[in-house]
Amino acid sequence: MAGRIRDEDIALVRERAPIADVVGEYLQLRNAGGGSLKGLCPFHDEKSPSFNVTPSKNLWYCFGCAEGGDVISFVQRIDSLSFAEAVESLARQAGVTLRYEEGGRSTRRDEGRRQRLLEAHRAAAEFYAGALLSPEAVAARRFLTDRGFDRSHAERFGLGFAPAGWENLTAHLRRKGFTDQELIDGGLASQGRRGAYDRFRNRLLWPVREVTGEVVGFGARKLDPDEDGPKYLNSPESPIFHKGRLLYGLDLAKRDISQKSEAVVVEGYTDVMACHDAGVTTAVATCGTSFGEDHVKILRRMLLGRSNQGGRVVFTFDGDKAGQKAAVRAFAEEHGFTSETYVAVQADGLDPCDLRFQHGPQAVADLVDGAVRLYEFMIRNVMEGYDLASPEGRMAALDAAAPIVASIRDEGVRRNYGASLDRWIGTMDEAFVQRRVAQHMRSNTRGGGSPRTGNHPVPTPDAGEAPYDLRDPSVRRERQALKIALQHPGLAAAFDAFTEEDFTVAQHRAVRALIAERGGVAAAHDPQVWLNGLREAAPSEAQRDFLTRLAVEPIEFHGELDGHYAMQMLGTIRTHSINRRESNLKSELSRLEGTSQMEEQRSVFTELMALQQQKRALQESLRG
């Protein structure tokens, strides 16, 4: 795995990826005045645009959902990528070659190797796609038409055909300059006694892509049943293909998953195609492996974003025993979701591909819409093995299903399922069923488990959790001063003289301290680079969001901001600060009058005189 991307390369990506151009690929932006652009937020439903882009600072901020960041964070959010994935995606678009570090050692060679393997797979996907149109691929095309797919479907998903020969792809990629070792390392070829030979032969191929859209492997379906080998053959594990961390179709589904807060997990490549054709564009599938913890993490990131609001995950399984086992595996991973988890199983056992072919696309959409909650599915599935007509059977079913109910995180949901379990079994004694469930909960806790509360962090407001009243004139003035310092540091030289005492709320003091730690506004030789440095140095996501908002929020000023107004605003902050301290010193002096603490009185009086002298000097400078 490549190491950390060098800071200077990240800065270069930011510089060469104009935020207006990047955001403009996802939504329509219009002029909002003051050098800003505005559009409808892609992250929440709204009728009036509250999503602002400030090209001069390469920042975005939505005043509706209180989220913002730079061009990298936008790509992270919109495409559900990690930080490194977003940087790599933007770097490819901007033509920036990234360098990586790990433990102080450059890993550029490793990244160069990765890029070579990605380029080889891109060339392989083009070769296979072209071969699907050849006369030799008639069986592959028939496989698709027999399932209701045509050329447009094949092009949409990038399907291809591997010819029957031993070195068709290998010879093609050799001519393009790739070595046999690169093809073997990437899983495109296998090592034979006479050298490399094609791994995939006489098979229909589905390219497997990373979330960024890069082809990293293939899934292949055998076309001749008399040939040796498994029906489905996937790329082997390689430096770029890790099937446990990949979901087929995710590159196509990612935006709709985030926008709709829904993910549909199916079992096969053709099932993904059938779902997307039926309008279920959030469908994905695993790549020759069981749905596991890493898949949970991928979907959770897309479903939650930074809002901590769950979504809806629907698993579709075949109605046979294998499908039942798949549901059990999904249930084992359910704890990783904060989403509502559902199961959709067609009564006649048809998978989405066959269902679409036999009953039309609407049947697939109806299957997903009619999904039942995973807990209900598991409870009813367990109960099916017992004779509910007899008292003994009902008790056995209760003891089999009660542990499932006991594992539910939310207390209210758990009690509701307890009531449903009573009805489904037919005991006619809800209190008895609830006690049985409670017994299993206590048993789980004694066994080392811990009850899951289902509580999740609540998003903090844009300025943090401390009281923050924008109706307070002092808060508004200080906020205005901070915006000037962040947006126009060249006009805010006096800001560096501020101390913690000059601000009345913790959020503002924290921003001032962060600016001071980064060298003050005097260090803002390149304001955009300086501002990005401040955001990266912010100790929390809440403060980073607050900085972003201050950096893009309009400064309340009629006309063109100039040095005189900036000096007046900063001076007003300082004046009010001096007034507060002066009032405190006068109160302290009044308390000391009539006491024997003469030395302390003189000290407070001297400090008060010095403060009043500072105030006069400040007022004279502001008048000048």
Side-chain angles (χ1 to χ4, degrees):
M1 180 180 291
R4 181 176 181 272
I5 303 172
R6 290 189 178 184
D7 291 340
E8 55 266 36
D9 291 349
I10 295 173
L12 185 60
V13 167
R14 285 195 179 99
E15 178 184 331
R16 294 189 181 177
I19 193 166
D21 294 345
V22 174
V23 174
E25 294 179 1
Y26 298 87
L27 62 141
Q28 186 176 8
L29 295 172
R30 58 182 176 82
N31 195 330
S36 295
L37 302 171
K38 183 178 289 188
L40 292 175
C41 180
F43 306 130
H44 79 285
D45 292 331
E46 62 177 8
K47 295 181 179 179
S48 299
S50 59
F51 186 92
N52 281 56
V53 174
T54 310
S56 63
K57 299 176 179 60
N58 227 18
L59 294 176
W60 62 274
Y61 193 87
C62 177
F63 292 93
C65 57
E67 293 196 30
D70 60 10
V71 66
I72 297 174
S73 68
F74 177 81
V75 174
Q76 281 185 263
R77 183 82 163 84
I78 194 75
D79 285 336
S80 298
L81 304 178
S82 68
F83 178 83
E85 289 169 339
V87 173
E88 289 167 349
S89 177
L90 288 168
R92 284 192 291 271
Q93 298 175 39
V96 175
T97 301
L98 299 176
R99 295 166 296 173
Y100 296 75
E101 297 175 350
E102 190 170 19
R105 177 177 60 85
S106 173
T107 60
R108 187 174 182 179
R109 179 181 301 175
D110 293 337
E111 177 58 18
R113 179 191 181 208
R114 172 182 167 82
Q115 290 299 324
R116 287 287 292 173
L117 297 184
L118 290 174
E119 290 167 7
H121 276 73
R122 190 180 307 121
E126 293 172 356
F127 173 83
Y128 289 139
L132 185 59
L133 304 177
S134 68
E136 189 180 353
V138 61
R141 294 193 295 271
R142 185 183 306 116
F143 177 93
L144 293 172
T145 56
D146 286 349
R147 288 156 179 79
F149 299 117
D150 57 25
R151 181 171 176 176
S152 66
H153 296 106
E155 291 177 348
R156 180 182 181 187
F157 289 90
L159 271 59
F161 170 69
W166 290 87
E167 294 187 14
N168 291 285
L169 177 68
T170 302
H172 174 75
L173 293 182
R174 282 174 184 152
R175 289 192 294 271
K176 286 187 170 290
F178 295 100
T179 67
D180 285 8
Q181 193 58 53
E182 286 174 329
L183 304 186
I184 293 169
D185 289 347
L188 295 170
S190 300
Q191 179 67 59
R193 287 178 296 179
R194 298 181 180 179
Y197 64 90
D198 291 356
R199 176 177 177 81
F200 303 113
R201 302 178 305 280
N202 194 28
R203 287 178 178 266
L204 177 64
L205 293 172
W206 286 263
V208 178
R209 297 183 176 92
E210 285 186 331
V211 68
T212 54
E214 295 281 4
V215 178
V216 294
F218 295 91
R221 211 290 189 175
K222 184 168 65 173
L223 297 170
D224 185 348
D226 295 330
E227 288 185 354
D228 294 335
K231 179 188 290 188
Y232 280 96
L233 179 65
N234 290 289
S235 291
E237 292 289 307
S238 76
I240 61 172
F241 186 84
H242 308 284
K243 61 184 179 181
R245 300 200 294 269
L246 288 167
L247 288 168
Y248 175 73
L250 189 60
D251 58 307
L252 299 175
K254 59 186 178 183
R255 289 180 196 164
D256 284 349
I257 289 175
S258 294
Q259 186 175 17
K260 298 178 181 179
S261 291
E262 175 192 83
V264 178
V265 183
V266 298
E267 295 198 291
Y269 302 137
T270 56
D271 293 333
V272 172
M273 295 174 66
C275 284
H276 281 251
D277 186 64
V280 184
T281 54
T282 57
V284 295
T286 57
C287 303
T289 186
S290 301
F291 190 86
E293 183 178 353
D294 286 331
H295 298 125
V296 171
K297 293 177 181 178
I298 293 170
L299 291 183
R300 184 172 58 204
R301 185 178 71 198
M302 294 191 170
L303 291 163
L304 297 182
R306 286 164 50 199
S307 65
N308 286 318
Q309 297 296 315
R312 181 174 185 256
V313 180
V314 180
F315 292 93
T316 68
F317 300 114
D318 295 346
D320 56 16
K321 290 184 178 180
Q324 302 286 334
K325 290 182 179 178
V328 173
R329 288 195 300 269
F331 178 75
E333 299 295 345
E334 192 275 341
H335 68 277
F337 291 109
T338 56
S339 312
E340 297 180 357
T341 314
Y342 294 76
V343 172
V345 177
Q346 182 67 13
D348 53 13
L350 295 178
D351 60 31
C353 180
D354 291 337
L355 182 62
R356 167 187 170 275
F357 183 69
Q358 294 185 26
H359 301 289
Q362 186 58 45
V364 177
D366 292 342
L367 172 67
V368 174
D369 289 341
V372 299
R373 294 181 183 272
L374 180 57
Y375 281 112
E376 179 179 343
F377 176 85
M378 292 300 300
I379 293 169
R380 290 186 178 276
N381 186 49
V382 166
M383 288 167 49
E384 286 179 1
Y386 299 92
D387 178 13
L388 300 183
S390 68
E392 294 83 4
R394 288 196 292 271
M395 284 305 301
L398 173 58
D399 283 334
I404 299 175
V405 179
S407 68
I408 298 176
R409 292 169 289 189
D410 187 275
E411 180 181 0
V413 175
R414 185 171 60 247
R415 293 190 64 83
N416 284 336
Y417 271 104
S420 297
L421 179 58
D422 173 53
R423 294 196 307 272
W424 295 336
I425 293 178
T427 59
M428 305 302 291
D429 189 343
E430 181 184 334
F432 176 75
V433 171
Q434 297 286 12
R435 287 196 300 272
R436 207 70 162 186
V437 170
Q439 289 173 2
H440 282 282
M441 288 187 64
R442 289 193 294 272
S443 177
N444 290 340
T445 303
R446 285 195 299 269
S450 59
R452 293 176 289 183
T453 65
N455 294 327
H456 306 294
V458 177
T460 57
D462 74 289
E465 295 180 344
Y468 195 87
D469 187 0
L470 278 173
R471 295 171 298 182
D472 185 334
S474 295
V475 172
R476 290 204 305 271
R477 282 193 299 266
E478 292 170 17
R479 190 180 180 102
Q480 187 87 328
L482 290 173
K483 288 190 289 187
I484 293 172
L486 292 171
Q487 297 180 29
H488 301 280
L491 301 178
F495 186 89
D496 289 343
F498 282 152
T499 67
E500 182 178 354
E501 293 180 324
D502 293 322
F503 293 94
T504 61
V505 292
Q507 296 89 339
H508 295 170
R509 289 195 291 270
V511 173
R512 186 216 66 84
L514 184 62
I515 292 174
E517 290 169 6
R518 300 290 295 182
V521 297
H525 306 299
D526 184 330
Q528 186 171 317
V529 172
W530 176 72
L531 184 56
N532 283 330
L534 288 174
R535 292 183 63 257
E536 291 174 358
S540 68
E541 194 68 35
Q543 190 179 48
R544 187 173 299 115
D545 283 347
F546 188 42
L547 277 168
T548 303
R549 181 160 190 159
L550 292 174
V552 302
E553 192 174 84
I555 295 174
E556 300 164 8
F557 180 70
H558 297 292
E560 185 176 350
L561 182 68
D562 56 16
H564 176 72
Y565 174 80
M567 183 178 68
Q568 291 290 327
M569 175 53 64
L570 297 178
T572 299
I573 301 296
R574 193 68 188 275
T575 298
H576 281 274
S577 174
I578 291 175
N579 286 341
R580 288 193 301 273
R581 281 181 280 171
E582 184 180 26
S583 177
N584 291 336
L585 288 173
K586 286 180 178 178
S587 295
E588 179 68 7
L589 195 60
S590 177
R591 182 186 66 81
L592 292 172
E593 284 182 0
T595 69
S596 59
Q597 299 173 313
M598 301 302 297
E599 187 64 30
E600 190 171 350
Q601 286 185 49
R602 281 193 291 271
S603 175
V604 171
F605 183 77
T606 301
E607 187 177 353
L608 179 60
M609 292 298 101
L611 198 60
Q612 291 176 341
Q613 186 175 358
Q614 288 181 32
K615 183 178 178 180
R616 286 193 295 271
L618 177 61
Q619 290 172 340
E620 289 176 4
S621 67
L622 293 177
R623 284 195 296 270

